[in-house]
Amino acid sequence: QELDKQIKSFVLEVAQLRNNFEAQGPGVPRIAPLEAVARLKVFDQQYAEFDEKRRTLESVQRLFSIQPKNFPDLDKTGEELRLLNCLYELYQRFLTFDGTFKATLWAEVDLEAEQVKVAELAAEFRRLPEQLEEYDAFLNLRNAIDEYVKVFPLLKKLARREIRNRHWLQVMRVTQRMFLLEAGVFKLSDLLQIGLADHSEEISEICVNAGRELELEVQLRLTEEEWGEQVLRTEQYKRRGAVFLHRDSSARILQQLEDAQALLANMLTSRHIGPMREEAAMWAEKLKHVAEVLDLWLEVQDLWMYLENVFSNPQAVKDLPQEVKRFARVDKSWMKIMQKANETKNVIQCCTSSTDVPKQVVLRH
């Protein structure tokens, strides 16, 4: 009778535990994950105590050759606790990842490594028992992991080297959210709270355009580098020194100038040239000017060479004394121009005057 009384009392206790679990347990809807974990610990402890008591009663029943009584509500509670432990163990690891990731500075994040962590969490989530699908926490965790899966490709695009401050300003305009870009302040939380996935197409387009802009910038830098190193070659003329532009080398430079101008003209027609339009236009104008000056320089050189041959003849000195004097002034100017060219060497510097008088005016004179 005493055993029967204990069993009936335990049945009531199990029923009370079940009622409490359904009303206040970790699986009730709309509770925060941390609160659910706290409740889970409480009910895990209670269940362990009830399970121990059940095993004691079963042992006594067997001692008296009585078929042990089943407690389906206790079994159901234990199974649900086991499932919820699986869910919230993963949920806690996700929350730890989420908190750490959001607190990371954008300048210091290793997106490749963090994406691997997200992939691992997603894989573990897919292995959760399907019985968990009825719980709000299951749906919330799935949505949270899916959000990371969606946003990581965008984060990696925004982390590319072609993304500049102007592109971040475009992101702010698209999302209608503002955030600080300073390296010591800008964190992942700033990006994850602006709804990147909701503006995926616009942000992807910003990144694509940034890539096109970088291609144009690289071409512009290569042009700048090439003409920063391009030099005029001179050659000996009679015994007067290196006072003559090397014809073949100068012809090649003219061809290169033509090619570079064509490249710059093509760049200026691109819709992605915007941030570099002024600089590209400046280089196009500069190289056009250099080509005009060099072409005129070669033309003047031919004339100078012809006249130098004429007036170096002793007979011309006797017959044309005034013209010889005039040519002597021209010859002196030519020698100064070529001496300066030998000292300067760089094509652009040689073809752009460092004085108030443009090089073209000097050559024409």
Side-chain angles (χ1 to χ4, degrees), residues 13-147:
E13 291 173 4
V14 168
Q16 184 62 46
L17 174 68
R18 183 64 196 174
N19 289 336
N20 290 341
F21 182 79
E22 290 180 347
Q24 302 174 16
V28 299
R30 295 181 295 279
I31 62 170
L34 293 179
E35 172 63 21
V37 169
R39 295 186 187 188
L40 188 58
K41 289 179 180 179
V42 171
F43 278 95
D44 273 340
Q45 180 63 36
Q46 291 181 10
Y47 173 78
E49 294 171 359
F50 272 72
D51 195 45
E52 179 64 27
K53 190 171 183 179
R54 171 172 59 180
R55 283 196 293 271
T56 301
L57 288 173
E58 287 178 348
S59 297
V60 174
Q61 289 175 88
R62 290 192 182 95
L63 185 62
F64 288 99
S65 300
I66 300 173
Q67 178 67 31
K69 182 174 178 58
N70 293 325
F71 298 94
D73 280 350
L74 187 59
D75 292 335
K76 183 178 182 182
T77 301
E79 177 60 17
E80 290 181 12
L81 284 169
R82 184 188 67 81
L83 292 172
L84 287 169
N85 271 297
C86 291
L87 174 59
Y88 279 105
E89 188 278 329
L90 181 60
Y91 212 143
Q92 283 183 288
R93 284 197 286 123
F94 170 79
L95 291 175
T96 299
F97 161 81
D98 182 61
T100 303
F101 185 73
K102 287 179 177 178
T104 303
L105 291 171
W106 174 251
E108 298 176 358
V109 68
D110 183 346
L111 288 175
E112 291 293 341
E114 299 301 316
Q115 189 174 26
V116 169
K117 294 178 184 177
V118 170
E120 291 172 351
L121 289 169
E124 288 190 52
F125 179 83
R126 289 192 295 271
R127 291 194 293 269
L128 289 175
E130 61 182 15
Q131 298 97 308
L132 287 168
E133 293 181 6
E134 63 184 79
Y135 293 102
D136 284 356
F138 179 91
L139 300 176
N140 293 338
L141 180 57
R142 181 178 65 187
N143 292 338
I145 292 176
D146 285 348
E147 185 69 19

Side-chain angles (χ1 to χ4, degrees), residues 311-364:
F311 292 114
S312 62
N313 189 321
Q315 187 62 40
V317 175
K318 294 179 181 179
D319 297 342
L320 303 167
Q322 294 302 318
E323 285 75 4
V324 169
K325 288 181 181 179
R326 287 177 59 194
F327 178 72
R329 292 194 295 271
V330 171
D331 186 69
K332 184 178 180 180
S333 296
W334 178 261
M335 297 300 287
K336 286 183 179 179
I337 289 173
M338 295 310 298
Q339 181 183 359
K340 186 69 174 177
N342 279 307
E343 293 172 356
T344 306
K345 297 188 180 299
N346 179 264
V347 173
I348 291 180
Q349 293 178 18
C350 286
C351 292
T352 52
S353 178
S354 59
T355 66
D356 293 335
V357 183
K359 194 70 166 231
Q360 287 165 301
V361 174
V362 174
L363 287 167
R364 288 195 180 99

Side-chain angles (χ1 to χ4, degrees), residues 175-304:
T175 60
Q176 297 184 341
R177 300 290 291 273
M178 301 294 291
F179 45 86
L180 297 174
L181 294 175
E182 286 83 353
V185 177
F186 187 21
K187 295 182 179 181
L188 270 301
S189 56
D190 296 316
L191 287 177
L192 295 177
Q193 67 186 7
I194 65 174
L196 288 178
D198 296 333
H199 305 279
S200 177
E201 290 187 12
E202 297 98 322
I203 291 172
S204 294
E205 185 176 359
I206 289 172
C207 295
V208 168
N209 290 342
R212 300 287 186 271
E213 291 171 13
L214 179 62
E215 292 173 4
L216 293 173
E217 185 177 351
V218 168
Q219 290 180 343
L220 192 57
R221 295 294 163 257
L222 289 174
T223 298
E224 183 179 348
E225 183 179 344
E226 177 186 2
W227 292 101
E229 298 174 352
Q230 194 73 262
V231 297
L232 281 176
R233 282 182 59 193
T234 56
E235 56 182 323
Q236 296 290 322
Y237 181 76
K238 297 181 179 180
R239 295 183 178 179
R240 303 194 64 182
V243 295
F244 202 77
L245 291 179
H246 192 283
R247 290 186 178 279
D248 292 341
S249 175
S250 299
R252 282 195 298 273
I253 290 173
L254 283 172
Q255 183 59 54
Q256 289 172 308
L257 283 165
E258 185 177 336
D259 295 341
Q261 289 179 82
L263 174 65
L264 288 165
N266 187 55
M267 288 171 61
L268 286 166
T269 63
S270 171
R271 69 185 184 92
H272 303 290
I273 193 63
M276 294 153 288
R277 179 174 298 280
E278 185 175 339
E279 187 178 1
M282 179 272 292
W283 270 102
E285 185 62 31
K286 180 182 290 188
L287 295 185
K288 177 185 176 184
H289 174 75
V290 169
E292 291 173 350
V293 170
L294 184 56
D295 194 51
L296 177 61
W297 200 332
L298 291 170
E299 182 182 336
V300 171
Q301 177 172 274
D302 289 341
L303 182 58
W304 171 83

